[in-house]
Amino acid sequence: MTVVTLHSTEFGPADGFPVLAVHGWTPDHRLMTGCLEPVFAARAKSYRRLYPDLPGMGETPIGEVESADDILDSLNAYVDEHIGDKPFLIIGESYGGYLARALTQKRRSQVVGLALICPVGKAVWHRDRDVPPHEVLYRDDELEHLRGSEFDEVAVIQTSETFRRTQTEVVVGLNIADLPALDRIQQQWVLKEDPEDGESISVPTVIMAGRQDSSTGYRDSMALLEHYPRASFMVLDRAGHNLQIEQPELFEAITSEWLDRVEDSQLGAL
């Protein structure tokens, strides 16, 4: 087992209920803070939000990490250090959703709520995914100069606001990622144990997918539903892989409803 110490950012009171947020492949924790902090700022309950950078991403060095299992072991060690044996919530985006499901399986006695944002579904490798072709549904006139750019190749809704948030929440992490190391780790990108092996996970769950998501799609996520009998499954129109940026009002409403369900299920424990 190879483990590296994960750099992390934390918000909320130290005695708040722990929430672990796991970003996707290549960006860093800012992908998660940008969309989640507005949700938690509006909650009456007190949550302690933990935002680690995965190995080779953000401010966490790659160390001796060689595989997806090493990343999962590092994330598991992070929980040991920062949460211990307390119950907690976990939120994962894209590849972070794949890791979040695996961590939930490992620590099923602790995880009391699971949220997945545009997750990698049953098909991990890009070549095996069932995804729609990329299409742009709306573009502001002032963004015409971005045709053919990386933003244009991902964004479904192209406004000055979605561009700004993409730059400050996604691209800022992409620019500092250790890309050669991540390319090497992708040779062992699939976990040895499938996150959905074993008994089903019966905790309040939400799976959000973009109808126009050309990266992870929505069909592969539907295959997860039987393993999570308390899951709501939402497919949002006018949303690509950055669903949380392109449909912020719906994202915040859906995430808040999930938190309501978690709080109700805990019968005052939160």
Side-chain angles (χ1 to χ4, degrees):
M1 181 175 72
T2 299
V3 169
V4 297
T5 300
L6 304 183
H7 169 270
S8 70
T9 300
E10 181 174 329
F11 295 97
D15 61 351
F17 197 88
V19 181
L20 176 65
V22 187
H23 64 79
W25 192 256
T26 314
D28 64 11
H29 69 277
R30 285 168 285 194
L31 185 149
M32 305 302 281
T33 57
C35 64
L36 292 176
E37 281 306 296
V39 176
F40 286 106
R43 302 297 296 184
K45 296 289 185 182
S46 179
Y47 291 92
R48 176 188 174 213
R49 289 92 69 190
L50 301 163
Y51 298 96
D53 288 335
L54 296 175
M57 293 165 259
E59 295 186 37
T60 299
I62 198 67
E64 300 300 317
V65 167
E66 295 287 344
S67 67
D69 286 284
D70 289 343
I71 294 176
L72 180 61
D73 288 340
S74 297
L75 195 58
N76 195 44
Y78 176 89
V79 174
D80 284 338
E81 179 181 356
H82 293 271
I83 299 175
D85 59 1
K86 298 176 183 177
F88 67 99
L89 310 181
I90 187 164
I91 305 170
E93 188 271 347
S94 192
Y95 192 79
Y98 178 54
L99 296 172
R101 288 163 19 227
L103 190 63
T104 298
Q105 190 68 264
K106 274 182 175 289
R107 308 190 80 119
R108 57 187 304 132
S109 64
Q110 290 179 255
V111 175
V112 298
L114 171 66
L116 304 173
I117 308 164
C118 299
V120 168
K122 295 298 288 184
V124 180
W125 293 107
H126 289 87
R127 62 177 179 266
D128 298 328
R129 298 175 188 172
D130 183 2
V131 301
H134 176 61
E135 62 177 319
V136 177
L137 296 182
Y138 177 83
R139 179 188 290 114
D140 280 349
D141 291 341
E142 60 265 33
L143 297 184
E144 282 290 331
H145 67 285
L146 293 177
R147 282 182 181 269
S149 67
E150 290 186 12
F151 175 73
D152 186 47
E153 293 174 358
V154 175
V156 170
I157 302 300
Q158 300 185 8
T159 66
S160 57
E161 178 62 7
T162 61
F163 178 71
R164 181 193 68 79
R165 287 192 59 185
T166 300
Q167 295 300 116
T168 60
E169 297 173 26
V170 181
V171 175
V172 66
L174 302 181
N175 288 340
I176 61 174
D178 187 345
L179 296 181
L182 296 182
D183 287 344
R184 170 171 50 80
I185 292 171
Q186 277 195 296
Q187 303 307 308
Q188 300 184 67
W189 214 36
V190 178
L191 294 165
K192 291 179 181 177
E193 295 184 12
D194 189 297
E196 281 68 53
D197 280 350
E199 297 181 10
S200 62
I201 304 292
S202 295
V203 299
T205 300
V206 65
I207 304 170
M208 289 175 262
R211 184 66 175 81
Q212 289 81 31
D213 185 345
S214 59
S215 179
T216 56
Y218 63 91
R219 299 183 189 96
D220 292 336
S221 297
M222 292 179 70
L224 303 175
L225 280 173
E226 293 307 314
H227 194 73
Y228 303 94
R230 293 208 52 202
S232 294
F233 183 69
M234 312 287 187
V235 182
L236 305 186
D237 185 34
R238 288 172 57 91
H241 196 55
N242 289 325
L243 170 155
Q244 74 282 5
I245 291 174
E246 295 177 331
Q247 287 282 11
E249 293 86 4
L250 280 174
F251 171 80
E252 292 179 17
I254 292 167
T255 305
S256 292
E257 188 278 335
W258 167 68
L259 288 170
D260 289 343
R261 289 191 285 132
V262 170
E263 291 172 10
D264 289 345
S265 73
Q266 292 303 295
L267 299 175
L270 274 68

